[in-house]
C-alpha cells in the first residue's frame, strides 16, 4: 500500500483511536495507526500527508505521561490533536495544561469563533453539538495559536496555529456522539490536500499481491472457515490470490449456534476450489473446558484446542505451511497494545492464546480493516448478502456467552434460547438494523412459579446492540412487544430457563460480549 497517500494517526492510548482511522477511510483516505513514540525516521519514511494525535487516558502533567516529539510538529504537514493529543501538541510548543475547573463528560455544544481546519465547513457563530471527555483544560496557548471555539465550561474547545497548519480540538470528532464529526475530520483531510485514493478495489489488488508475496509460489494454506463474514471474506480473498492451494476447514467445536454446521456446509457448497473439510471436535473442546470458569482461561484453552485440531487436519491433507485468520483491527486493539499504549481489555481468540508450538505461519489479510469495510469487501468479492450481513459471532463461540463452566447441556440450553432471540429479531424486521443480537446464559438460578409449582432454574440475558464498527456500541431500544414475545417464548419453550433479562449497557463502559 506504499503508493497511497497516508494519514498517520499517532496513538496516545485512547480506546477509540482506531475510529479516527476508520472515519478517514470512509472519506477515501488510507489512514494507519502507529505508536505515539514511533521513531522519527520511520515516521518520515511513511511519507505522511497529514498527522492526527489521538486522545488518551493520561493527564499531560502526570509523571511518565506520553509526549509528542516536537520534531513531529515540524515535518511541514498538517497536524490535528484530539483531546489529549491537543494537550500534547500545546505542551510541546510551550503552552500549559491544568486540571479543568469544570470537567466535561458527554454531550456539549461549541460556539464557533473562526472557521479553520476541522471547523472549516462551519459558519462563524454557529453552535455545534460535540462529545466531550476530559478532566483537564488549556491554561494558556503557545505563541502563534488562537482560539477557534469554546463552550461555557471550556474556553479553548478548539485552537489553531494557521501559519504552521496545526489544529487542536478538546472534543472527539471521531465518535458518532459528535453528529457532524465526520465533516470535521473531512475538513481536516481537505486542509491536508488528500486526493482520496483509498477504496476496496485498490485494497483487493494490493491484498492479493501481499498474500502472494507472503506465501510464495508453493506451500499449502489452510483457513478456519466459521461461516461468519470475517473468515468467509478472508477465505475468498486468499483463494483469489492462490487458488486451489487453499484448504478451508470448518471446526464443529460444540460451541456453535443452533444448526450452524448445516448452514455453513450449505452456504459454501460449490463455492470453494477444494471441498470444505468438516472436523467434528465438540467432545475435545468440552473436555478442555471442563471445570473452567475464568473467561481468559476459556479463551486460551479454546485457542489451544482449535490449533491442535488444525494441526491434525493439516497432517491429514499432507501438511500445511500457513493458517488464514480473519483478524480485524478491533480484535487487535482490544487484545494487546501492538501499535500504541491502549489498555488491554481482553485476549481475542485471533490474536492471543495460541500455543508456542504452532507450526504454521499466520496469514491475516483483514488485519487492517474494520467490520463494515470487510462487509464492503465481501460484496466486492461477490459473496452473498446473507453471508456478508451475518451478525458477528466470537471465535470462542458460546464459550464466552455461557458465564461459568461450559458443558454440553448448558450449550444446548443456550442454543435453543438464542435461536428464539434471532427468530424474533428477524420476524420484527430488525436483523439488519442491529450489529449483534444474542443470548447469554448466566451462572445464576432464580425462583419462579410454573403451573402452581416452584421452580429454581437458569436466568438468561438478551443482548442487542447497534454499532458501526464495534469500537463503540449502544444498546438497542427494542419495542416492548418484541422483548415480551421473546421472553415469553424462551420461558415457555426452553425447559430450564425461568427468567429473561435485557442488557441495557453501552460500550464503553461495557463490552459487547459478556466475557
Amino acid at each position: 500500500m506504499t503508493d497511497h497517500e497516508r494519514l498517520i494517526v499517532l496513538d496516545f492510548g485512547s480506546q477509540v483511536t482506531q475510529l479516527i482511522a476508520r472515519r478517514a477511510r470512509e472519506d477515501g483516505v488510507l489512514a494507519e495507526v502507529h505508536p505515539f513514540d514511533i521513531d522519527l525516521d520511520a515516521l518520515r519514511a511513511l511519507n505522511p500527508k497529514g498527522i492526527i494525535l489521538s486522545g488518551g487516558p493520561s493527564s499531560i502533567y502526570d509523571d511518565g505521561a506520553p509526549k509528542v516529539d516536537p520534531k513531529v510538529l515540524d515535518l511541514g504537514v498538517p497536524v490535528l490533536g484530539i483531546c489529549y493529543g491537543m494537550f500534547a501538541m500545546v505542551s510541546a510548543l510551550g503552552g500549559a495544561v491544568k486540571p479543568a475547573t469544570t470537567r466535561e463528560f458527554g454531550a456539549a455544544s461549541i460556539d464557533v469563533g473562526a472557521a479553520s481546519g476541522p471547523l472549516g465547513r462551519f459558519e462563524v457563530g454557529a453552535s455545534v453539538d460535540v462529545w466531550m471527555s476530559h478532566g483537564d483544560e488549556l491554561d494558556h496557548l503557545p505563541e502563534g495559536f488562537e482560539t477557534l471555539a469554546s463552550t461555557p465550561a471550556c474556553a479553548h474547545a478548539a485552537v489553531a496555529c494557521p501559519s504552521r497548519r496545526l489544529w487542536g480540538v478538546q472534543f472527539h470528532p471521531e465518535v458518532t456522539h459528535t453528529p457532524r464529526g465526520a465533516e470535521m475530520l473531512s475538513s481536516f483531510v481537505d486542509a491536508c490536500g488528500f486526493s482520496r485514493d483509498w477504496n476496496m478495489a485498490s485494497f483487493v489488488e494490493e491484498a492479493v499481491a501481499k498474500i502472494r508475496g507472503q506465501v510464495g509460489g508453493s506451500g499449502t494454506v489452510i483457513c478456519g472457515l466459521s461461516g461468519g463474514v470475517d473468515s468467509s471474506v478472508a477465505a475468498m480473498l486468499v483463494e483469489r490470490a492462490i487458488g486451489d492451494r487453499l484448504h478451508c476447514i470448518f471446526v464443529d467445536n460444540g460451541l456453535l449456534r443452533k444448526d450452524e454446521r448445516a448452514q455453513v456446509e450449505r452456504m459454501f457448497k460449490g463455492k470453494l476450489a477444494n471441498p470444505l473439510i468438516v472436523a467434528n471436535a465438540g467432545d475435545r473442546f468440552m473436555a478442555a473446558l471442563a471445570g473452567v470458569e475464568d473467561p481468559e482461561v476459556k479463551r486460551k484453552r479454546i485457542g489451544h484446542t482449535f490449533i491442535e485440531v488444525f494441526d491434525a487436519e493439516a497432517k491429514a491433507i499432507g501438511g500445511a505451511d500457513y493458517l488464514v485468520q480473519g483478524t480485524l483491527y478491533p480484535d487487535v486493539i482490544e487484545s494487546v497494545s501492538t501499535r500504541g499504549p491502549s489498555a488491554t481489555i481482553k485476549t481475542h481468540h485471533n490474536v492471543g492464546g495460541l500455543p508456542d508450538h504452532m507450526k504454521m505461519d499466520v496469514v491475516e489479510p483483514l488485519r487492517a480493516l474494520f467490520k463494515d469495510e470487510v462487509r464492503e469487501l465481501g460484496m466486492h468479492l461477490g459473496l452473498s448478502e446473507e453471508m456478508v450481513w451475518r451478525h458477528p459471532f466470537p471465535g470462542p463461540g458460546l464459550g464466552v456467552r455461557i458465564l461459568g463452566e461450559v458443558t454440553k447441556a448448558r450449550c444446548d440450553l443456550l442454543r435453543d434460547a438464542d435461536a428464539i432471540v434471532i427468530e424474533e429479531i428477524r420476524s420484527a424486521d430488525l436483523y439488519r438494523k442491529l450489529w449483534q443480537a444474542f443470548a447469554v446464559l448466566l451462572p445464576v438460578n432464580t425462583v419462579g412459579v410454573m403451573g402452581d409449582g416452584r421452580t429454581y432454574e437458569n436466568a438468561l440475558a438478551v443482548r442487542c446492540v447497534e454499532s458501526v464498527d464495534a469500537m463503540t456500541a449502544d444498546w438497542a431500544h427494542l419495542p416492548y412487544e418484541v422483548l415480551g414475545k421473546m421472553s415469553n417464548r424462551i420461558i415457555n419453550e426452553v425447559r430450564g430457563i425461568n427468567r429473561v433479562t435485557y442488557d441495557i449497557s453501552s460500550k464503553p463502559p461495557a463490552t459487547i460480549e459478556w466475557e
Side-chain angles (χ1 to χ4, degrees):
M1 302 182 192
T2 54
D3 294 332
H4 291 283
E5 299 169 332
R6 277 189 173 94
L7 174 67
I8 299 301
V9 182
L10 297 185
D11 180 17
F12 284 86
S14 170
Q15 290 298 328
V16 293
T17 292
Q18 270 64 27
L19 287 182
I20 304 170
R22 183 63 197 98
R23 301 296 171 249
R25 293 183 189 187
E26 289 173 349
D27 202 24
V29 174
L30 174 58
E32 295 181 357
V33 179
H34 292 273
F36 75 95
D37 57 355
I38 182 174
D39 178 78
L40 195 63
D41 288 337
L43 180 58
R44 285 196 187 97
L46 293 170
N47 194 27
K49 202 172 180 69
I51 296 173
I52 294 181
L53 312 179
S54 83
S58 304
S59 289
I60 195 69
Y61 45 76
D62 287 346
D63 290 339
K67 304 290 175 62
V68 64
D69 185 340
K71 294 179 182 177
V72 170
L73 308 176
D74 290 328
L75 292 177
V77 300
V79 181
L80 171 63
I82 295 177
C83 199
Y84 183 87
M86 178 181 74
F87 295 147
M89 174 192 294
V90 167
S91 297
L93 297 175
V97 180
K98 65 178 182 179
T101 303
T102 302
R103 300 186 302 171
E104 291 181 294
F105 297 98
S109 293
I110 60 169
D111 296 319
V112 178
S116 173
L119 300 183
R121 300 183 185 180
F122 296 86
E123 295 183 2
V124 174
S127 179
V128 182
D129 292 336
V130 299
W131 187 261
M132 292 282 195
S133 182
H134 69 96
D136 295 327
E137 63 183 357
L138 295 181
D139 190 14
H140 66 265
L141 302 180
E143 183 178 350
F145 275 73
E146 62 186 39
T147 298
L148 302 181
S150 62
T151 75
C154 182
H156 307 291
V159 300
C161 180
S163 64
R164 297 180 63 180
R165 295 190 296 170
L166 304 178
W167 290 275
V169 294
Q170 179 68 83
F171 50 88
H172 287 269
E174 70 272 30
V175 302
T176 55
H177 303 302
T178 297
R180 298 182 68 183
E183 287 182 64
M184 298 175 186
L185 292 174
S186 186
S187 184
F188 175 69
V189 165
D190 289 341
C192 296
F194 279 98
S195 61
R196 294 175 167 84
D197 60 351
W198 171 251
N199 54 63
M200 279 301 109
S202 65
F203 176 84
V204 170
E205 181 181 341
E206 293 158 6
V208 165
K210 185 175 180 181
I211 292 165
R212 288 172 178 166
Q214 180 181 356
V215 305
S218 62
T220 301
V221 182
I222 59 175
C223 174
L225 192 54
S226 69
V229 61
D230 302 342
S231 63
S232 300
V233 173
M236 294 300 100
L237 193 56
V238 172
E239 179 152 305
R240 177 170 292 199
I242 63 171
D244 62 7
R245 288 167 54 200
L246 175 69
H247 299 262
C248 292
I249 301 170
F250 175 78
V251 177
D252 184 349
N253 58 10
L255 303 168
L256 304 174
R257 290 168 288 195
K258 191 170 184 177
D259 300 326
E260 188 152 23
R261 175 174 170 173
Q263 291 171 8
V264 171
E265 288 180 302
R266 183 171 60 251
M267 191 180 297
F268 285 96
K269 187 175 183 179
K271 284 189 170 63
L272 301 168
N274 292 310
L276 179 66
I277 300 168
V278 178
N280 187 9
D283 291 344
R284 188 168 179 174
F285 279 84
M286 289 301 149
L289 292 171
V292 177
E293 296 187 2
D294 182 87
E296 280 292 282
V297 177
K298 285 184 191 178
R299 285 177 175 269
K300 290 179 179 179
R301 290 201 181 183
I302 291 169
H304 276 266
T305 307
F306 187 79
I307 295 300
E308 289 171 357
V309 171
F310 258 68
D311 280 340
E313 295 299 332
K315 289 176 182 177
I317 62 173
D321 305 290
Y322 299 92
L323 169 65
V324 178
Q325 288 191 329
T327 309
L328 305 189
Y329 230 165
D331 302 340
V332 175
I333 196 60
E334 286 193 348
S335 303
V336 62
S337 178
T338 59
R339 299 192 178 186
S342 303
T344 298
I345 303 298
K346 62 186 177 183
T347 298
H348 193 274
H349 63 281
N350 278 348
V351 291
L354 302 182
D356 294 335
H357 66 272
M358 179 178 169
K359 298 178 176 63
M360 296 168 280
D361 291 332
V362 176
V363 179
E364 297 175 310
L366 311 179
R367 188 180 179 89
L369 299 184
F370 292 88
K371 179 72 76 171
D372 52 332
E373 288 182 302
V374 173
R375 286 185 168 135
E376 182 184 350
L377 176 59
M379 297 298 290
H380 185 84
L381 291 171
L383 295 176
S384 70
E385 189 168 322
E386 176 192 3
M387 183 187 298
V388 168
W389 284 99
R390 290 191 80 192
H391 284 183
F393 187 59
L398 301 184
V400 292
R401 292 181 178 176
I402 294 175
L403 277 60
E405 185 179 9
V406 178
T407 65
K408 184 180 183 303
R410 299 192 79 203
C411 286
D412 290 340
L413 195 67
L414 181 56
R415 264 189 277 271
D416 289 341
D418 185 76
I420 291 172
V421 171
I422 298 302
E423 286 172 13
E424 292 305 320
I425 291 297
R426 289 190 184 278
S427 178
D429 196 26
L430 294 171
Y431 189 83
R432 282 283 298 270
K433 298 176 184 177
L434 298 176
W435 178 265
Q436 274 177 277
F438 57 91
V440 179
L441 190 62
L442 306 181
V444 173
N445 281 18
T446 69
V447 173
V449 178
M450 292 183 179
D452 295 327
R454 177 185 184 275
T455 64
Y456 189 58
E457 296 178 332
N458 292 274
L460 184 90
V462 174
R463 178 74 157 149
C464 300
V465 299
E466 298 173 344
S467 182
V468 174
D469 43 36
M471 292 301 295
T472 61
D474 290 324
W475 62 276
H477 294 234
L478 297 187
Y480 290 146
E481 294 78 9
V482 174
L483 289 172
K485 188 175 181 182
M486 202 181 285
S487 174
N488 189 60
R489 282 195 59 197
I490 290 170
I491 292 172
N492 284 340
E493 297 176 27
V494 183
R495 190 176 297 275
I497 295 174
N498 68 358
R499 189 178 302 272
V500 176
T501 65
Y502 189 57
D503 183 346
I504 59 171
S505 308
S506 295
K507 175 187 178 180
T511 54
I512 295 177
E513 299 288 346
W514 277 47
E515 288 190 343

